[in-house]
Amino acid sequence: MEKEMTDSRPEAPVCGSDPSVLLSDLARDSACCRDLNWRCDLTSEAEPDALAEALVEQGWTVRCRHMNLMVFRHPHGHEIAWVTSTGRVQIRVALEIDREARPHRAVEIFEMLSLALRQACLRNSKRS
Amino acid sequence: MSNFKDHSKELIEQNLKTLGGTPYVYHCHHFNLFHDQTVEDALGQAEAFTVRSRAAQKMATQLIGNLIQSSGASNPVERLQLAKALFAWMGQGGLDLLVDGSGGKVRGDALHYSFAWREKYGSKVKRSAPIDAFAAGFAAAATELAFDLPSGSLAASESACYACREPFCDLDVATASGDAPALDAVSVDEDVIMKHVVQPGTGLEESRIAQITQGLNEFLLGVDGDQRGLVQGFGIFITRHLSGYYDQTAYDTIHMIEKTAPQATAAVEELFGESGHVCVFNTFGNLLLSPEWEGMVGPVKGEVEEIVTSCAAIARALGFGHWTVEELKPGERLVMRSTSNYEFPFYLENYGRSDKSRCYFFANASRAFMQLAHRVDWPSKPELTQDLYQELFKGDVGWQTEETLCRCKGDDCCEVVVTKK
């Protein structure tokens, strides 16, 4: 399953002239239910407001905003928790998704996050 | 009424929480399933369902009754709507109450216990006995209160259960049979709690613990459920649950065993104690590994003092009481104290003084703190799987725990001493 997810990962988003990959691979994270939580890391700085704006445009809402943490919720109940101080991202698949479908759903959410990052970077480069 | 935050109250100094005047705590599905399984193991499935549903009915009567009063819900429709919304807010799932003054049908969708059971065991174990005793008792209480019926006049059973591979859960509410246990437990409310708890003390790292507790409480208030009434907080599947339910089911079970099979008492007490291991491993552990924790406190380094004091803060935030770290020698010994917890006030109020310590959860959760602090490689951010649980907690845990002082025995506080074997 891990291999399949790596293979199905979208093209890694790049920011402006900086070719560094922003998102690390997706991996299982500790969870109270199997395959519910997944983790990746934002390995380069991303602008929290720009990313939040891009995710909101996709239909996510900001559920929690803390000094070092942002949590976004999808209308279907999925969540993205982003620790802005360390770059850690946790993707939380909604509990109602069947166990077998959770890895695939995590990849879909990861793709949405990648797209939002690209949009955020694009927006940043236009502004600068 | 769909947001019950305004009815939730913190007894801040005691680190206890009430909802509509009724004590509640946060517990995850691993603990809930283990606790109820212990009641089943001790009493058998049918008797356990009765004990659990009647305890739920008693506690839910206090909670729903108080909220009906404070909200002014005056007719059956409003009262049943309130009960349904409350049940979902607690993370217990969805209830469709098709009832009148003589009872009726209740359809349960994504009920916490059956949903969680199937999630955890469904692929490996086939279950034939219904599991949603809490929902049954809650539905019976809601029906009684909606139609101004005497408390305990109705009882509920479950005829179809999602845990038994049915698509939904079906509950039947009807007039209680003559042999149904009376709902005679004394309700614990804020006044009762304050009667039994003592002035909070301070221990090691008090300011750190208090600061983290406050931060966690702010996060917990923001936790809400999905449309089906299931709640994920900190990435954990949790419930806001009535502590009186845990207390009555545990103590009634232990007392029955003490009377009918005293030779088995120690084994049953040990199982209720193990629920403390289950809770600390799954809830505390995953909370320490959560992004919320990392954002608020920072990544966990894995030092023994850090883990133990963090666990004390988590216990307080979850509403388990004012737990303090009195003494900690890494690798050797931990002394925890509590001037309040959710066990002894219920015990003293309902059963009076005991000749032995009765805070099974507190004693064994403290032991689990030491196990997590010494045996988990926190910096590697491990997955807290059931295999790891078995490795850490099955067989010889390596620590012995003893509740040396207990309010139930008349001591000034509860004290647990955990020592290396």
Side-chain angles (χ1 to χ4, degrees), chain B residues 48-68:
Chain B
F49 193 95
T50 303
V51 167
R52 289 155 55 217
S53 63
R54 295 299 269 184
Q57 190 169 345
K58 174 66 187 176
M59 303 308 150
T61 297
Q62 179 189 356
L63 171 62
I64 302 169
N66 288 348
L67 289 174
I68 284 174

Side-chain angles (χ1 to χ4, degrees), chain B residues 141-216:
Chain B
T143 308
E144 288 170 351
L145 288 159
F147 297 97
D148 291 319
L149 301 171
S151 177
S153 59
L154 298 177
S157 57
E158 187 172 25
S159 53
C161 179
Y162 183 75
C164 306
R165 298 179 191 266
E166 303 282 353
F168 293 98
C169 298
D170 286 321
L171 308 168
D172 302 300
V173 181
T175 302
S177 63
D179 59 355
L183 304 186
D184 53 5
V186 178
S187 298
V188 172
D189 57 18
E190 191 175 335
D191 291 340
V192 169
I193 290 171
M194 296 314 290
K195 187 168 89 183
H196 295 299
V197 300
V198 291
Q199 186 66 25
T202 57
L204 303 175
E205 300 278 353
E206 187 58 36
S207 61
R208 176 179 191 269
I209 292 172
Q211 190 180 2
I212 294 173
T213 302
Q214 188 183 345
L216 290 174

Side-chain angles (χ1 to χ4, degrees), chain B residues 388-399:
Chain B
L388 181 57
Y389 177 83
Q390 298 289 329
E391 189 185 321
L392 295 182
F393 290 102
K394 288 296 179 188
D396 185 2
V397 174
W399 300 94

Side-chain angles (χ1 to χ4, degrees), chain B residues 122 155 186 271 303 336:
Chain B
V186 178
L271 280 172
E303 294 159 0
M336 296 287 299

Side-chain angles (χ1 to χ4, degrees), chain B residues 272-299:
Chain B
F272 279 114
E274 192 182 338
S275 68
H277 300 170
V278 171
C279 170
V280 168
F281 177 80
N282 289 290
T283 304
F284 289 54
N286 277 305
L287 210 151
L288 285 167
L289 291 169
S290 70
E292 281 85 348
W293 186 274
E294 192 168 314
M296 192 178 72
V297 186

Side-chain angles (χ1 to χ4, degrees), chain A residues 2 28-37 39 41 63-69 71 73 75-79 81-90 92-100 102, chain B residues 28-30 115 118-124 162 218-219 222-228 230-237 282 285-286 288-292 294-296 299 381-386:
Chain A
E2 297 279 359
R28 276 189 187 83
D29 205 355
S30 191
C32 69
C33 300
R34 188 165 170 75
D35 291 344
L36 213 57
N37 294 346
R39 71 169 292 153
D41 292 279
R63 210 202 73 171
C64 162
R65 189 167 193 148
H66 182 267
M67 190 169 58
N68 297 320
L69 176 80
V71 182
R73 177 172 281 183
H76 293 162
H78 314 302
E79 287 188 346
W82 177 24
V83 187
T84 53
S85 55
T86 63
R88 175 186 174 189
V89 173
Q90 185 176 70
R92 298 167 175 166
V93 177
L95 199 51
E96 64 189 72
I97 302 299
D98 287 341
R99 258 167 102 147
E100 300 71 28
R102 287 174 190 164
Chain B
C28 80
H29 73 286
H30 294 286
F115 187 91
R118 203 152 137 181
E119 167 73 35
K120 185 166 181 175
Y121 302 116
S123 62
K124 297 174 191 160
Y162 183 75
E218 286 166 17
F219 274 117
V223 167
D224 54 10
D226 64 18
Q227 289 177 335
R228 302 190 306 169
L230 299 177
V231 174
Q232 274 173 285
F234 301 94
I236 304 164
F237 183 12
N282 289 290
N286 277 305
L288 285 167
L289 291 169
S290 70
E292 281 85 348
E294 192 168 314
M296 192 178 72
K381 296 186 168 60
E383 275 190 68
L384 301 182
T385 61
Q386 293 312 298

